[in-house]
Amino acid sequence: MAPDTHCCSRADLRRRLPVLAWLPNYSLRWLRMDVIAGLSVGLTVIPQALAYAEVAGLPPQYGLYSAFMGCFVYFVLGTSRDVTLGPTAIMSLLVSYYTFREPAYAVLLAFLSGCIQLAMGLLHLGFLLDFISCPVIKGFTSAASITIGFGQVKNLLGLQNIPRQFFLQVYHTFLHIGETRVGDAILGLVCMVLLLVLKLMREHIPPPHPEMPLGVKFSRGLVWTVTTARNALVVSFAALIAYAFEVTGSHPFILTGKIAQGLPPVRMPPFSVTTDNKTISFSEMVQDMGVGLAVVPLMGLLETIAVAKSFASQNNYRIDANQELLAIGLTNVLGSLVSSYPVTGSFGRTAVNAQTGVCTPAGGLVTGVLVLLSLDYLTLLFYYIPKSALAAVIIMAVAPLFDVKIFRRLWLVQRLDLLPLCVTFLLSFWEIQYGILAGTLVSLLILLHSVARPKTQVSEGQILVLQPASGLHFPAVDALREAMTKRALEASPPRSAVLECTHVSNIDYTVILGLGELLEDFQKKGVTLAFVGLQVPVLRTLLAADLKGFQYFTTLEEAEKSLQQEPGTQPYSIREDTAPEHRSSLLKSPSGP
């Protein structure tokens, strides 16, 4: 017993600390690939973090504060070699909605979201995410891509004093379009074109081949490096142009400006905040964030799990969903100690990680160190980054989130799913939480309707045969009774019926009561209701209920022959005086003697 217990404890420890599963087998080849991947992701995340802080309505350094903790936590707790945790466009948008551009609120939201996510992971509540359907997710992300993208038009054009609410933003952007700063607009559009060209080049790089000449290999590697680090290169290019103009005394661009230098202090998240000589207590801060305390952690988990499952499927390995919940939860809790706002899995940077050939989560260590070095040594250079260049990075990052094809696919495959998609998409422009809540509610109503009114196959004839196509649950029993009554008992003359239960895997007490009443209705009319295809758990339950007049058969042919009073197999008739031993023998041999 002791060796088995020891093995189980080691297996459980490896499950809780996945780093122990791969670290003992770590090799120099893995190290080389992880370093390359970590550098590639780092060069991607630094400009994105600065840009996403703008989306969140926070000072630029908070994007960098949020970009490194996930790298270190996921190294120990992550079950996907590809996933990278950090600030994302959608999470930044949610933070902007619920934290009122106040860093203290954003940091506290990270702490509380992490606590909720940790609790869900420990209690194995990840299944709750399954109730948010794909059309709801697609509707939300498509609306978010438009909201985020259009929100950067003001920075792309150099417009100022534009409201953050989407509809007001659209109105005031077009109202002040004449105030466009030519320098910002030209630079922003040039950056967008460069990013697009480099992205297309990245997609068309031929795969490496063993027989490829050395010069071709070198050229391919150079192009691959440039296109993979396109965000950093384009932002650096824009910053050099801005610096050149600043040296000459010209100011054609709106710059990012001064960024707090150095690493963030390690301290507890703010449980109160003082503004305008007024102290806002912890309870008031929680009330102010409201439903954000539900929306932010759930969407963070949803995005992380979706990214992890997607790349695990592509690269043929499995992830532990509950372990992923623990990883993202601990990342947010520890991140709040270094002034991070809520983070989640990034699809774009995870794609860079996977395409670079990362072998383990150790690649994240390189990314984390690169972010920390940039905070310590490069923040003075970030001063010269034009906001229009960061806007171009954001717009190009969120553009793929808008899934144009989903509308056509749903129209061809399942048109009813267009309803939660459109509800979520439209309401998300008003308030994000209303869009997600309404879309989820519509999806659940569609699900409940299919449970309450399951499709039923009907075979008409001297004997009526009804077969529920998708189970039988208590909301459906009245509809079943009505269909039986209308088609069998109200016919002239009344006719017997067979309920084909092949697809019924379990029944509850309400269904049993409804079936009992239905059997009585048939008996009053002098006809019979028989059951066919009962699975063992269902048969056991019905036998235990001791329904008067209950008859069941192994096959539909046996039931029809018996109900037509033809010679052959006789049904089992469970009477009130049936002995328990006889019921047991029936259960073991339903076809009878």
Side-chain angles (χ1 to χ4, degrees), residues 326-458:
L326 295 176
I328 185 66
L330 190 61
T331 293
N332 279 320
V333 169
L334 296 181
S336 69
L337 304 180
V338 289
S339 302
S340 165
Y341 66 82
V343 301
T344 183
S346 166
F347 193 91
R349 294 193 297 275
T350 298
V352 171
N353 216 18
Q355 292 164 3
T356 313
V358 70
C359 296
T360 71
L365 294 181
V366 180
T367 301
V369 169
L370 199 61
V371 173
L372 290 174
L373 289 174
S374 71
L375 272 168
D376 219 13
Y377 299 107
L378 299 180
T379 47
L380 291 176
L381 301 179
F382 294 156
Y383 177 95
Y384 295 100
I385 297 176
K387 286 192 173 184
S388 58
L390 294 179
V393 169
I394 294 172
I395 291 172
M396 296 306 297
V398 300
L401 293 177
F402 187 86
D403 191 348
V404 180
K405 297 179 181 178
I406 188 65
F407 293 91
R408 184 174 181 273
R409 284 199 299 268
L410 290 182
W411 179 262
L412 295 175
V413 176
Q414 180 57 274
R415 295 180 184 179
L416 190 59
D417 280 341
L418 282 169
L419 186 57
L421 173 74
C422 293
V423 167
T424 306
F425 179 75
L426 294 174
L427 287 182
S428 291
F429 289 113
W430 176 29
E431 289 285 350
I432 287 177
Q433 66 268 26
Y434 296 153
I436 297 172
L437 184 62
T440 303
L441 183 60
V442 171
S443 292
L444 290 176
L445 288 175
I446 293 173
L447 175 64
L448 291 174
H449 182 269
S450 66
V451 171
R453 297 294 181 268
K455 293 181 179 179
T456 304
Q457 296 179 7
V458 180

Side-chain angles (χ1 to χ4, degrees), residues 34 49 62 81 112 129 150 208 276 476 483 546:
D34 286 345
Y62 281 87
R81 66 171 180 261
L112 296 177
L129 302 176
F150 196 87
D276 300 328
D546 201 14

Side-chain angles (χ1 to χ4, degrees), residues 464-542:
L464 176 71
V465 179
L466 267 77
Q467 181 184 34
S470 58
L472 186 59
H473 304 280
F474 71 88
V477 71
D478 284 339
L480 175 67
R481 187 176 180 183
E482 183 180 343
M484 285 280 197
T485 301
K486 182 178 180 181
R487 293 175 179 273
L489 301 183
E490 293 180 359
S492 183
R495 54 181 172 168
S496 296
V498 174
L499 187 61
E500 218 288 354
C501 300
T502 302
H503 301 299
V504 179
S505 58
N506 62 77
I507 55 175
D508 53 55
Y509 185 66
T510 305
V511 173
I512 293 172
L513 290 179
L515 293 177
E517 292 171 357
L518 197 57
L519 286 168
E520 291 178 6
D521 293 342
F522 271 79
Q523 288 177 343
K524 289 176 183 177
K525 291 287 187 177
V527 289
T528 303
L529 171 62
F531 295 78
V532 167
L534 292 171
Q535 298 183 27
V536 172
V538 178
L539 177 58
R540 193 186 302 276
T541 302
L542 290 173

